[in-house]
Amino acid sequence: MKPILLQGHERSITQIKYNREGDLLFSVAKDTVANVWYSVNGERLGTYNGHTGAVWCVDCDWDTKNVLTGSADNSCRLWDCETGKQLALLNTNSAVRTCGFDFSGNIIMFSTDKQMGYQCFLNFFDLRDPQQIEDNNPYLSIPCSEHKITSAVWGPLGEFVIAGHENGEINQFSAKSGDVLKMVKEHSRQINDIQSSVDLTMVITASKDNTSKLFDSNSLDHIKTFRTERPVNSAAISPKMDHVVMGGGQEAMEVTTTSTRIGKFEARFFHAAYEEEFGRVKGHFGPINCVAFHPDGKSYSSGGEDGYVRIHYFDPQYFDFELEA
């Protein structure tokens, strides 16, 4: 089946995110706009306008009421999903790199970059307390002075945040005390992306060291490793099959030196148990920056350096596919 192409951005896509039901797909890019689409046909529902810099991250809460975006214009913004109205503006000293709602949708977290003399912070706000938002005063702010956070997700039950750092470390930060609960270093280079499984029991990382790894969310035990020959920009776990999809390619600045044929701009599918690659999907004209599975597992999307989001529906044969052990 032909993929659905979403053209709503003028610059490279930085993150895509489905809501819980999977009927909406949010996309953000380096062009200041956050878009929301119907995932079934690729129709654009609307945009969230207000940012003045590249938008690095987006998240949507459990009941698709609010949307959170973080941007290089030194702000994190909360939007009404339905109307596109800006509900809150949280200013920071440096770019907001990651953001997310916890399971309840009441607590938000976002991390800022280490730049212009400011260090990286992981901030927590409780949306039930309007005073925190008005005063722009998080109830918890964790400094990460050594290595900045490059990606982060909430753990199960909203008790901690799992953060990946530029040196390859993964930390669990308590959302109550701010303590580091666990620390592992399985990657040798920067972690580009962390995504959770649908039941939040596992997370998958994507790293510049050409690997993607599967971890237990609670214990951070390393379960599986998926190897490629290029940096991995993003990885996602299928909610239905024992599969993971990875997207990557080279650094954007090196792209001009290779033809697309050997540029390795395919989405790659691996079996989660056997760690073996069983499929590739071509299509993007540059590195894939982000991938996401639809919550029903019947399709997946990828966002690329070329500014397109592509929604791919799986053929019926995909669901009958068994890897021969």
Side-chain angles (χ1 to χ4, degrees):
M1 201 166 139
K2 275 181 73 175
I4 301 173
L5 247 71
L6 310 185
Q7 297 172 278
H9 293 286
E10 293 167 359
R11 296 190 57 200
S12 51
I13 309 293
T14 49
Q15 195 174 19
I16 52 177
K17 194 64 90 51
Y18 282 99
N19 66 341
R20 183 174 59 100
E21 289 79 20
D23 58 334
L24 301 181
L25 178 66
F26 297 88
S27 64
V28 291
K30 292 182 181 169
D31 62 1
T32 76
V33 178
N35 283 325
V36 55
W37 315 79
Y38 282 119
S39 65
V40 63
N41 58 5
E43 183 189 338
R44 180 156 72 171
L45 250 175
T47 58
Y48 302 96
N49 295 322
H51 281 296
T52 55
V55 188
W56 289 119
C57 52
V58 61
D59 196 23
C60 168
D61 63 5
W62 177 257
D63 51 8
T64 321
K65 226 168 65 184
N66 297 331
V67 178
L68 192 65
T69 53
S71 164
D73 64 7
N74 299 0
S75 75
C76 184
R77 296 174 194 237
L78 185 70
W79 312 84
D80 182 303
C81 179
E82 195 178 352
T83 63
K85 186 166 161 270
Q86 184 175 303
L87 301 175
L89 165 64
L90 301 167
N91 286 307
T92 57
N93 291 324
S94 54
V96 177
R97 180 67 56 175
T98 66
C99 65
F101 288 97
D102 79 336
F103 194 70
S104 67
N106 292 325
I107 312 264
I108 58 168
M109 65 86 182
F110 60 88
S111 72
T112 59
D113 270 357
K114 185 175 173 180
Q115 66 194 108
M116 297 174 358
Y118 294 104
Q119 62 177 10
C120 164
F121 281 99
L122 181 60
N123 294 321
F124 293 87
F125 283 87
D126 191 330
L127 297 177
R128 291 165 296 189
D129 179 5
Q131 204 57 46
Q132 284 181 25
I133 306 290
E134 270 177 43
D135 303 344
N136 199 358
N137 185 20
Y139 77 82
L140 181 61
S141 190
I142 308 169
C144 310
S145 48
E146 298 202 344
H147 301 284
K148 78 166 190 187
I149 294 174
T150 48
S151 56
V153 291
W154 280 93
L157 302 176
E159 290 171 0
F160 53 80
V161 165
I162 302 166
H165 297 258
E166 60 184 347
N167 65 338
E169 274 180 16
I170 301 174
N171 286 319
Q172 270 183 7
F173 292 104
S174 165
K176 294 182 177 64
S177 64
D179 298 339
V180 176
L181 305 174
K182 293 197 173 63
M183 197 283 281
V184 294
K185 191 169 187 306
E186 293 284 345
H187 286 290
S188 56
R189 296 187 62 193
Q190 173 174 316
I191 294 173
N192 291 323
D193 186 29
I194 294 185
Q195 292 194 34
S196 311
S197 59
V198 68
D199 57 1
L200 304 181
T201 55
M202 293 186 296
V203 293
I204 190 164
T205 56
S207 168
K208 272 190 180 170
D209 66 7
N210 302 2
T211 65
S212 177
K213 301 193 178 192
L214 210 54
F215 295 89
D216 180 281
S217 299
N218 280 308
S219 63
L220 288 190
D221 290 341
H222 174 217
I223 307 169
K224 298 283 176 188
T225 301
F226 311 99
R227 296 179 200 286
T228 68
E229 57 288 336
R230 294 289 157 99
V232 187
N233 293 338
S234 183
I237 306 169
S238 168
K240 190 171 183 180
M241 313 285 282
D242 293 331
H243 297 163
V244 300
V245 62
M246 289 152 56
Q250 310 123 297
E251 298 281 323
M253 56 192 180
E254 293 168 12
V255 170
T256 50
T257 57
T258 54
S259 80
T260 45
R261 193 167 47 86
I262 52 172
K264 301 278 188 290
F265 305 138
E266 301 127 328
R268 306 175 64 163
F269 286 82
F270 283 76
H271 196 283
Y274 302 127
E275 304 182 356
E276 279 184 35
E277 185 178 354
F278 65 83
R280 293 188 181 189
V281 179
K282 289 192 169 78
H284 283 287
F285 293 107
I288 294 174
N289 291 341
C290 44
V291 290
F293 270 105
H294 189 286
D296 67 6
K298 291 179 183 168
S299 62
Y300 86 97
S301 301
S302 54
E305 192 70 29
D306 53 10
Y308 288 101
V309 178
R310 299 171 73 94
I311 302 177
H312 296 264
Y313 281 88
F314 295 119
D315 298 325
Q317 300 95 307
Y318 167 83
F319 301 103
D320 308 328
F321 172 74
E322 290 289 330
L323 202 64
E324 291 165 16

